[in-house]
Amino acid sequence: MKNTAVILAGGSGKRMGGSLPKQFMILGGKPIIQHSIEAFENHPQTDEICIIIHADFIHEVECIVRENNFKKVRYILPGGKERSDSSLAAIRAYQEEQNINLIFHDAVRPFISSEIISNVIRELNAGKSVAVAIATVDTIFEVDEKNKIVSVPQRSFLRRAQTPQAFSYHTIKSAYEIALKDPDFLATDDCGVVLKYLPTEAIFIVEGDKSNIKITFEGDLVLGEEILNK
């Protein structure tokens, strides 16, 4: 099975202000998205890379790929309005060659390690659907629409989701085909789609790392520089 990394950067990502999405903010002297691309470009078990980016910024990604001579990048595709549109863009791009695994990764998680990628691919090769996550150290409250606590889930059964999330092509395509027939379909991540629409498909956890952070706010850039300087 060919292993394809899908770098998800389709959102406008303007929470930090400025004219460029957050995936183009500079971290350690290079754009955040470049760190993520490099992680998969340099991994020996990654066969190719598909980048999903807002249509307004395709040129910027093309420049990064060209200037860094990234050989594994096959597609640079426009994302859509919703998070699920980005995943669907990748799924549709590979509909003619379905003997592949798709490894979905947030472009703004620049510190994904080679070890985590290897562990994800190992589980994929064993026929499993997988998601990267870490244990939560905080107590989590479930609340209702009035912000009233309705339950306190046991921490030992809770995990903080990271990425990648990875599936065989057949699994993720089948889940989305069913989901698109649901008039109320709204996805926040691919695991949620598989869990809801292919309930018999088990998704197993691959241990993540606390450094595999998502750069969302300005303070995350400061933390990112600290991680780089360790």
Side-chain angles (χ1 to χ4, degrees), residues 2-227:
K2 183 165 68 176
N3 296 307
T4 297
V6 180
I7 309 294
L8 298 171
S12 59
K14 301 251 180 99
R15 294 180 190 175
M16 295 183 193
S19 59
L20 284 175
K22 57 182 178 287
Q23 51 265 37
F24 295 103
M25 299 289 286
I26 300 301
L27 178 64
K30 64 183 75 171
I32 290 170
I33 191 173
Q34 184 176 328
H35 290 275
S36 297
I37 298 170
E38 285 176 350
F40 291 95
E41 175 77 20
N42 296 331
H43 195 280
Q45 292 176 280
T46 302
D47 296 295
E48 62 185 46
I49 299 169
C50 172
I51 303 170
I52 312 296
I53 185 70
H54 191 286
D56 291 346
F57 301 101
I58 286 177
H59 175 70
E60 282 79 1
V61 173
E62 289 175 338
C63 289
I64 290 172
V65 171
R66 182 174 60 252
E67 291 168 4
N68 292 278
N69 198 29
F70 290 136
K71 300 294 188 183
K72 292 183 180 179
V73 176
R74 179 175 178 184
Y75 295 119
I76 301 173
L77 303 173
K81 181 180 178 182
E82 303 296 339
R83 162 66 178 76
S84 56
D85 294 329
S86 293
S87 295
L88 281 166
I91 293 167
R92 288 164 178 158
Y94 286 94
Q95 59 187 350
E96 298 302 323
E97 47 174 311
Q98 301 182 14
N99 192 30
I100 60 171
N101 295 315
L102 295 182
I103 303 169
F104 296 93
H105 184 65
D106 292 333
V108 289
R109 289 188 186 272
F111 303 116
I112 178 66
S113 68
S114 178
E115 180 182 6
I116 291 175
I117 297 172
S118 294
N119 291 341
V120 166
I121 291 173
R122 183 194 67 228
E123 297 301 296
L124 281 171
N125 289 341
K128 298 178 181 179
S129 296
V130 296
V132 173
I134 59 174
T136 180
V137 296
D138 297 315
T139 297
I140 305 296
F141 293 147
E142 181 185 0
V143 299
D144 63 14
E145 67 279 359
K146 296 180 180 179
N147 214 30
K148 182 180 70 175
I149 295 173
V150 294
S151 72
V152 184
Q154 189 174 333
R155 270 189 316 193
S156 60
F157 293 113
L158 297 177
R159 297 294 183 271
R160 292 167 52 198
Q162 298 183 339
T163 63
Q165 297 180 0
F167 315 86
S168 71
Y169 183 87
H170 173 75
T171 295
I172 194 65
K173 181 175 183 287
S174 297
Y176 270 99
E177 283 179 341
I178 298 169
L180 291 174
K181 297 175 184 176
D182 180 357
D184 298 319
F185 170 58
L186 180 63
T188 57
D189 72 354
D190 299 298
C191 279
V193 177
V194 173
L195 197 64
K196 181 173 182 179
Y197 296 103
L198 286 182
T200 60
E201 176 69 23
I203 306 172
F204 295 90
I205 294 297
V206 166
E207 189 67 27
D209 189 276
K210 63 181 181 181
S211 67
N212 186 23
I213 63 170
K214 185 175 183 179
I215 306 293
T216 305
F217 302 104
E218 288 186 16
D220 298 327
L221 282 174
V222 176
L223 178 56
E225 293 290 350
E226 291 176 356
I227 292 171

